Amino acid sequence: MTAPRKIIVSLTCPNCGGQVHSEEGESLVLCKFCDSVFSLTSDEGIRKIMYRLDVTREQVESRFFEWLKEGPKARDLAQKADITEAYPIYLPFWRLVGRGKSCVCGIEIQRGGKDEPDRRIPHESLVNREYIYSDIACDPGDLGITAIRIPDHAEAVEFDDESIVTFGVTESRDDAYSEGSEQIKRQAIADGKRSMDEIHFAKSFFFEKAFSLVYYPFWIVRYTYQDRAYFAVFDGITASVVSGRAPGNSGSQSTAAALGGTLSGAVFAVFLFFGFLLGALEALALLFAFGLAAAAGILFFAYNRFRYGDEILEGAMKGKGLKRGKKQQSLETNYENTYDMFN
């Protein structure tokens, strides 16, 4: 598994103008050209970092039309969708990097055979891992963005709010720090539980490494289809789809409903036929249970597609619709920077 990357920020020395580099967690930088020392924290006491926008408008529009063809969207969406506007924007995120340490003691239960008792095996685990927590620091409205994961090739630069379009920070840094540290401590305990069936003792600690306000670039693409407005959000560094709304495939909805009813009826017909043919009570009960489970699964799939398939929701979008894609998790683990012990 790839380890989360460390932030290396390019800065301009305020004394001589030379380019210097700083690693995440450092509060002071020494200029190698003029030997000046300067602080990295802002007036508010928090370090601000901005990532360079790498994706061009042509690249994001190309990826947008590819996205229109993915999944159960309207069949003619790529041909009839009209882009009304496409623009880059920076969104602020609180980013907390720290080490989570935990001690967990418990019991693993190994089930015995028919005539053998269960075995209770004691376990102790010591977890010492680096975690990264991120949470959006503004109200993104209906954009469906909650967290970020920084790609390896992203380039961090000195923050310059005059050169970017961004949302104002509205989420408390203290709340973000508290929530992030608590999530890290809970995750350290969860990682320590491993295969334990009973937990007799669990304690965790958090040690901060870096806390920053990160401004990350996105592309917003708004478009219309059959006089209705939709949008999609793309990562400004990788061009991957982050979130979006799209019209669903009405033909797929009808097919799902018809298929659900037909297959469910067929399952019960087969159940009745073999039930009467075999006559055995156990076989009849087994077929009934299998048929009921299969029919329930088919009907559930068809119901979701029929009820919510008129709109496709990508990522962390809220509302009624058929949900697709992965929601970005607020917590990630640096597995390469661990010192765990399991006994």
Side-chain angles (χ1 to χ4, degrees):
M1 183 175 294
T2 303
R5 72 186 303 274
K6 295 181 179 179
I7 295 181
I8 305 296
V9 187
S10 298
L11 304 168
T12 300
C13 175
N15 184 49
C16 69
Q19 290 297 305
V20 295
H21 301 283
S22 168
E23 183 177 324
E24 184 172 31
E26 295 179 348
S27 58
L28 296 174
V29 171
L30 172 66
C31 177
K32 62 182 179 181
F33 301 102
C34 65
D35 294 330
S36 297
V37 178
F38 56 96
S39 173
L40 297 175
T41 57
S42 66
D43 294 337
E44 296 85 2
I46 193 74
R47 185 177 185 183
K48 296 180 180 180
I49 300 172
M50 183 176 72
Y51 277 90
R52 191 183 68 183
L53 176 70
D54 290 337
V55 177
T56 65
R57 183 187 178 103
E58 291 75 18
Q59 290 173 325
V60 78
E61 288 187 0
S62 175
R63 180 66 187 94
F64 167 72
F65 283 105
E66 291 177 0
W67 175 72
L68 295 182
K69 301 175 184 178
E70 299 171 358
K73 300 183 181 72
R75 294 179 180 177
D76 59 350
L77 183 58
Q79 291 75 36
K80 296 186 178 181
D82 292 322
I83 296 177
T84 57
E85 57 180 341
Y87 56 90
I89 190 170
Y90 277 79
L91 296 179
F93 294 83
W94 295 114
R95 189 174 192 268
L96 177 62
V97 182
R99 186 161 292 278
K101 298 184 179 183
S102 69
C103 176
V104 183
C105 301
I107 298 293
E108 177 189 359
I109 301 176
Q110 291 186 353
R111 304 299 176 184
K114 187 175 182 180
D115 299 321
E116 297 179 355
D118 295 342
R119 295 183 58 197
R120 297 174 59 85
I121 304 174
H123 281 295
E124 177 187 14
S125 64
L126 300 175
V127 169
N128 185 355
R129 297 183 179 179
E130 186 175 280
Y131 299 90
I132 301 175
Y133 168 84
S134 66
D135 183 42
I136 192 161
C138 67
D139 181 4
D142 62 348
L143 294 180
I145 304 173
T146 57
I148 53 172
R149 178 158 296 185
I150 301 170
D152 290 339
H153 63 279
E155 181 179 349
V157 295
E158 189 174 7
F159 175 71
D160 181 9
D161 58 352
E162 296 182 357
S163 65
I164 61 174
V165 177
T166 184
F167 286 8
V169 175
T170 59
E171 301 299 320
S172 166
R173 68 176 181 181
D174 293 335
D175 291 345
Y177 187 95
S178 176
E179 176 62 23
S181 59
E182 287 300 318
Q183 280 202 30
I184 289 175
K185 288 194 291 185
R186 289 195 297 268
Q187 188 60 49
I189 290 178
D191 290 342
K193 289 181 178 179
R194 204 166 178 176
S195 60
M196 298 182 195
D197 298 293
E198 297 178 5
I199 305 301
H200 295 167
F201 174 83
K203 184 69 175 179
S204 62
F205 304 90
F206 167 73
F207 299 90
E208 176 192 345
K209 178 180 179 182
F211 186 47
S212 307
L213 184 60
V214 174
Y215 286 81
Y216 196 88
F218 298 90
W219 275 94
I220 313 296
V221 179
R222 299 191 181 275
Y223 66 103
T224 58
Y225 172 80
Q226 295 184 350
D227 298 325
R228 294 186 63 182
Y230 301 92
F231 73 92
V233 180
F234 297 85
D235 190 299
I237 298 175
T238 65
S240 59
V241 180
V242 177
S243 62
R245 292 182 181 272
N249 186 342
S250 57
S252 174
Q253 289 179 268
S254 301
T255 301
L259 181 63
T262 301
L263 290 181
S264 298
V267 166
F268 279 106
V270 170
F271 152 68
L272 290 174
F273 173 76
F274 281 100
F276 284 115
L277 182 65
L278 295 175
L281 183 61
E282 291 185 359
L284 190 63
L286 182 63
L287 283 171
F288 176 77
F290 173 77
L292 188 62
I298 293 169
L299 287 174
F300 179 75
F301 170 81
Y303 173 77
N304 280 334
R305 179 60 60 85
F306 180 76
R307 181 176 181 181
Y308 301 116
D310 60 330
E311 189 169 72
I312 310 301
L313 305 180
E314 190 90 19
M317 297 297 304
K318 297 180 180 179
K320 295 182 178 179
L322 195 63
K323 297 186 182 296
R324 291 187 70 252
K326 294 182 179 180
K327 176 183 176 181
Q328 180 61 61
Q329 300 299 314
S330 60
L331 197 65
E332 55 181 313
T333 305
N334 184 356
Y335 289 98
E336 291 187 3
N337 193 8
T338 63
Y339 309 95
D340 303 334
M341 293 178 61
F342 298 97
N343 296 315

